Structures are given as structure tokens and as C-alpha cells.
């Protein structure tokens, strides 16, 4: 993450700024730009969004979004994957998906990039959990591990190929192991 030094602004001012590529987040009065996603990050993100949506979208259970800005609790963050229960997806006056999501996701998934601070990313996951998120994942492609943050419970560190990854109740039928997730990186 690239942090803009010594520049404190309000959330309202931040939200009026043009979007950046890669996305910038608003954390504790500061603008923090996420690093540009690289190959492993992009592959994992795409496969996760697809796997989740194939399971839950047609049944209108939930929907997974890549790089969706979520603004809540005086922060505006962009999880790598944000999963919302169907009935919590904001809609506009036409009944279409809204552009603005003023709430936390039900499941926040972050994928570490090589230049990213695990502490700052964990801070965003904890912020989500403190505002009603059911679960957070922190995927580390370099270590081939996943830290699971269930709401109100001790985090769990998984790295063995056969380890089954816990998921929130809303996607209870999703069965993934460490081997499944990191197997997506093989060509």
C-alpha cells in the first residue's frame, strides 16, 4: 500500500475525489493506495469470485464482487473480494444494483500482494468484523496460507493442502481446501 504522507482529509472529501488505479482507501483520515494487483493476486481473485457466484448467484443467496468500494464506520475500503448476502445488496430506484455500497460486506477476502503490509490489510478485515461482517480471509500466495477471521472467534491459520477452508453460513455449500485455492495458480 502506498500511503499519502501527512494529508488528513474528511471521508466526505475523499469520496468526492476521482477514483484511482489501483484503488485508494480512506483509513483513519488518510488516503492509502493499494498496490497494483499482480498475476497470482488476479488469478486467485477471479477464481474466488467465479466459484462463489456459481454457487450462490442463481439462487439469489449472495453475490461476490471484485474490488468493490465499501464505505462504513468512517472508512472507505476496497476488499479484493466483497461478498454480500442477497438481501443486503443495495439497489437503486430502478431495482438495479446500486453503485454505492454504504455498508460492510458479509465476507471480506483480501489477497496479499508482495508489497502490501499484512498488518494494514488485517486492520481492514478487523474493521469489517467490528461492523457486522461474518468472516474475513487473508490469503497469502507467497506462503500458500490463509488466515481465517470468523466473527467473534479466534483466528485460524491454515496451510496444509488438505485443510478445508471455513466459510460463512451464507455460502455453507462452498467446499474449498488449501490445495484447491493454490492449485488455481498452476498453469
Amino acid at each position: 500500500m502506498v500511503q499519502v504522507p501527512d494529508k488528513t482529509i474528511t471521508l466526505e472529501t475523499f469520496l468526492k475525489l476521482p477514483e484511482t488505479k489501483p484503488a485508494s482507501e480512506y483509513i483513519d483520515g488518510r488516503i492509502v493506495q493499494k498496490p497494483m494487483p499482480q498475476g497470482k493476486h488476479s488469478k486467485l481473485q477471479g477464481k474466488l469470485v467465479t466459484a462463489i457466484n456459481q454457487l450462490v448467484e442463481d439462487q439469489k443467496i449472495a453475490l461476490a464482487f471484485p474490488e468493490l468500494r465499501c464505505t462504513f464506520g468512517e472508512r472507505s475500503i476496497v476488499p479484493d473480494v466483497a461478498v454480500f448476502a442477497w438481501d443486503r445488496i443495495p439497489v437503486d430506484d430502478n431495482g438495479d444494483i446500486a453503485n454505492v455500497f454504504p455498508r460492510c460486506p458479509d465476507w471480506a477476502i483480501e489477497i496479499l500482494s508482495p508489497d502490501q503490509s499484512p498488518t494494514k490489510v488485517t486492520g481492514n478485515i478487523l474493521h469489517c468484523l467490528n461492523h457486522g461482517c461474518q468472516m474475513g480471509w487473508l490469503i497469502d500466495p507467497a506462503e500458500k496460507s490463509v488466515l481465517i477471521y470468523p466473527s467473534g472467534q479466534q483466528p485460524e491459520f491454515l496451510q496444509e493442502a488438505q485443510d478445508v477452508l471455513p466459510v460463512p453460513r451464507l455460502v455453507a455449500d462452498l467446499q474449498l481446501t488449501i490445495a484447491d485455492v493454490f492449485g488455481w495458480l498452476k498453469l
Side-chain angles (χ1 to χ4, degrees), residues 40-41 44-45 48 80 109-119 121-122 125 136-149 156-160 165 178 181-183 185:
K40 291 177 183 180
H41 180 284
L44 291 172
Q45 183 181 37
L48 281 165
D80 293 322
I109 301 172
E110 294 285 4
I111 304 161
L112 273 182
S113 294
D115 297 333
Q116 214 168 13
S117 162
T119 305
V121 177
T122 299
I125 291 171
W137 279 12
L138 177 57
I139 300 172
D140 187 339
E143 297 293 327
K144 291 191 170 39
S145 66
V146 180
L147 266 167
I148 308 293
Y149 295 88
E156 190 175 348
F157 178 76
L158 301 173
Q159 67 178 11
E160 300 301 323
L165 296 165
I178 290 287
V181 170
F182 294 108
L185 298 177

Side-chain angles (χ1 to χ4, degrees), residues 52-53 56-57 61-65 82-86 89 97 170:
I52 295 165
N53 285 341
V56 297
E57 185 173 9
I61 296 169
L63 199 54
F65 298 88
V83 181
F84 283 84
W86 198 266
I89 299 170
I97 291 175
L170 72 141

Side-chain angles (χ1 to χ4, degrees), residues 126 129-130 133-135 149-155:
L126 295 176
L129 292 170
N130 287 334
C133 188
Q134 294 176 24
M135 182 172 286
Y149 295 88
S151 180
Q153 298 177 30
Q154 180 79 14

